[in-house]
Amino acid sequence: FAVTSLELASRLSFFLWSSIPDDELLQAALTDKLRDPAELETQVLRMLADPRSSSLAENFAYQWLKLSKLDEIDPDTTIFPYASGAGDLRPDFKEELALFIDSVLRQDESVLRLLDADYTFLNERLALHYGITDVKGSRFRRVELENPNRWGLLGKGGILMATAYPNRTSPVLRGAWILETIMGTPPPLPPANVPTLAENEAGKVATTVRERLEQHRENPACNACHSFMDPLGFALDNFDAVGRWRDIDRYTGTPVDASGIMPNGSSVNGPLELRAALMSRPELFARSISQKLLMYALGRPLTPEDMPTVRQIVRD
């Protein structure tokens, strides 16, 4: 059913400002002017120009990218002393992502720029974490990224930390995140009573996470899901549990193996090839973010009746 002008004003305001309508929007609704497409566009553009619209990027990004996981992770201080305690980077990670997504919105760029944008927003501390030495001070500013491994969402430390454990990377969590958030095809829930992945023990020969996952996948019940998730996560395994680049596994002293086979049978090795594979099916990402943005705007789950609207948005 068609919403009333007042209901539309309320939806617009909570969507773009995370707050109640202001007097101008209310007046347009009370006089039924919001039914005029030209007036509706005028009001939307006015609201986007207002500083309050920054809440769209901040709040939507926080929910869509599942950044609440960051608040649950306290990096192991013995392994990552530079990213824990006084050096906690989680507030910086959140600020970087909010500014990055807001910039794509305000510049009216293609949604695919979220995957391949060659810039981000950094302060000195976060820049050093990324291996960039020419950014000074605590103020965040736009920085062009020379290292293509850092481009887009896949290179952001906040996402990499939120999809890891406090002491090690997790190809499973990262693969599941890509399936759900980027491709819009969430994996099924794991079967009951699945054993946890064995950890390295002191006094025994250390093994890589890849080696332990290969043993885990020997169980057919586990392999059914892990064969889809793990290769996606392996491609990001050069990023450690706090999003810092590494070439050598700290536990085994061997080079990191970032290769894997995609669900369609193609092979990828590292973040660059993973990004190229994801962008070869741009409609998947466009559909996924359209669904999540519509859910955020409406404040409810989508139903089958909503899907024609989603498909129209993707086509447009």
Side-chain angles (χ1 to χ4, degrees), residues 245-311:
W245 185 266
R246 61 177 184 161
D247 293 305
I248 302 297
D249 186 288
R250 65 171 281 112
Y251 296 103
T252 63
T254 56
V256 172
D257 183 357
S259 63
I261 304 298
M262 295 284 283
N264 64 2
S266 63
S267 61
V268 295
N269 192 344
L272 303 187
E273 292 185 10
L274 173 61
R275 185 189 308 118
L278 294 173
M279 293 191 66
S280 68
R281 295 286 306 279
E283 72 281 0
L284 293 180
F285 182 54
R287 183 183 64 199
S288 177
I289 194 173
S290 296
Q291 288 177 301
K292 296 299 173 63
L293 197 55
L294 191 57
M295 288 171 62
Y296 176 81
L298 298 176
R300 62 166 175 80
L302 300 188
T303 67
E305 290 78 11
D306 294 313
M307 296 315 295
T309 300
V310 171
R311 290 192 289 269

Side-chain angles (χ1 to χ4, degrees), residues 10 68 70 79 92 102 124 164 174 261 293 314:
S10 181
S68 60
L70 282 177
I79 302 174
D92 297 321
D102 188 72
E124 181 176 4
R174 288 177 177 174
I261 304 298
L293 197 55
V314 173

Side-chain angles (χ1 to χ4, degrees), residues 64-66 153-154 159 163 172-183 187 236:
W64 171 50
L65 301 176
K66 301 187 185 305
L153 291 173
L154 298 182
I159 288 169
T163 52
V172 177
L173 292 179
R174 288 177 177 174
W177 183 90
I178 290 170
L179 282 173
E180 180 175 359
T181 306
I182 304 299
M183 303 178 71
L236 297 177

